[in-house]
Amino acid sequence: MCVVSTKYRSYVESLTTAQRDALGTLSARVLTNVRPLYEVSGDISSFIFAGGETSHPDWDDATTVFEAAVEQLLLQPDVPPIAGELPLLFVGWHSKNRVTGKRASLGFLLTDRRLHAQCDFGVLFGVTPPRTYSYPIGSGDPDGDSAALVDAANARFDWTPAAELVSLAQQAAIKRLLVDEIADITGAVTRLGIEM
């Protein structure tokens, strides 16, 4: 059973009609791009949560996982979303803090404008805000720009706590997925004339 996130749902409802249309268009692109990864053996499908996904191959609660990641990495007061920012893809996992018992979304959230990266729980009574990396839109080299952006995010991402969960090969595959999706998203935003 899927639990609908009120905070996430309220955010989507606060978007303009044009922004919701853009969210639908970009989410459909992302889903089309990630679905082939669901069929690869030993893959990263269990770490991929796309907005609008209704039939995830590994998790019945994929919608809940995606919405929780959006709430924890995008909809927080320390690093608020840019007006109209569209959450599209979460690549990561949930982990339980042994001290507080709370679950945290750890990994990467892609929107139409930025990459949000979270690799730790934070302090005991607070949340460490995710690192954010803005996409270079319209630079003429989306593949090169995306690779540089993901390299910067990956260099500051601490994979150590997830070493037993995410193999080195899976880390490399996640990095490739992020590069490909950011290049596709930035290209689509430009080609489709989606307002930023």
Side-chain angles (χ1 to χ4, degrees):
M1 182 172 142
C2 183
V3 177
V4 176
S5 161
T6 306
K7 193 173 180 182
Y8 172 80
R9 187 70 53 209
S10 295
Y11 178 73
V12 171
E13 289 172 0
S14 76
L15 298 171
T16 66
T17 301
Q19 290 166 337
R20 283 193 302 273
D21 290 346
L23 178 62
T25 299
L26 292 172
S27 293
R29 281 185 77 86
V30 169
L31 275 170
T32 298
N33 293 343
V34 301
R35 280 206 172 114
L37 296 174
Y38 291 160
E39 299 173 14
V40 178
S41 178
D43 64 352
I44 57 172
S45 67
S46 62
F47 302 111
I48 300 171
F49 301 92
E53 178 67 71
T54 57
S55 59
H56 196 282
D58 300 307
W59 308 110
D60 292 337
D61 63 346
T63 300
T64 303
V65 172
F66 175 78
E67 291 178 359
V70 172
E71 284 190 14
Q72 293 175 18
L73 278 71
L74 179 66
L75 302 178
Q76 58 171 286
D78 293 334
V79 184
I82 297 169
E85 189 169 4
L86 308 175
L88 301 170
L89 178 68
F90 174 61
V91 182
W93 54 93
H94 276 174
S95 190
K96 187 174 181 179
N97 184 317
R98 292 181 188 178
V99 176
T100 65
K102 292 183 179 180
R103 294 206 170 270
S105 299
L106 303 177
F108 304 91
L109 177 70
L110 280 70
T111 71
D112 63 322
R113 302 171 192 201
R114 299 185 289 180
L115 169 66
H116 301 262
Q118 180 67 280
C119 61
D120 61 38
F121 292 111
V123 295
L124 182 59
F125 297 108
V127 175
T128 302
R131 290 188 174 94
T132 60
Y133 304 86
S134 295
Y135 302 153
I137 302 292
S139 71
D141 183 15
D143 294 329
D145 291 340
S146 299
L149 186 132
V150 171
D151 283 344
N154 193 53
R156 298 187 68 191
F157 194 87
D158 183 8
W159 289 96
T160 308
E164 291 181 26
L165 179 65
V166 188
S167 71
L168 291 175
Q170 288 171 319
Q171 290 174 28
I174 288 171
K175 183 178 172 185
R176 279 191 306 278
L177 171 64
L178 295 173
V179 169
D180 292 346
E181 286 308 303
I182 291 170
D184 187 69
I185 290 166
T186 57
V189 165
T190 302
R191 280 189 310 280
L192 299 172
I194 294 173
E195 295 223 2
M196 302 288 285

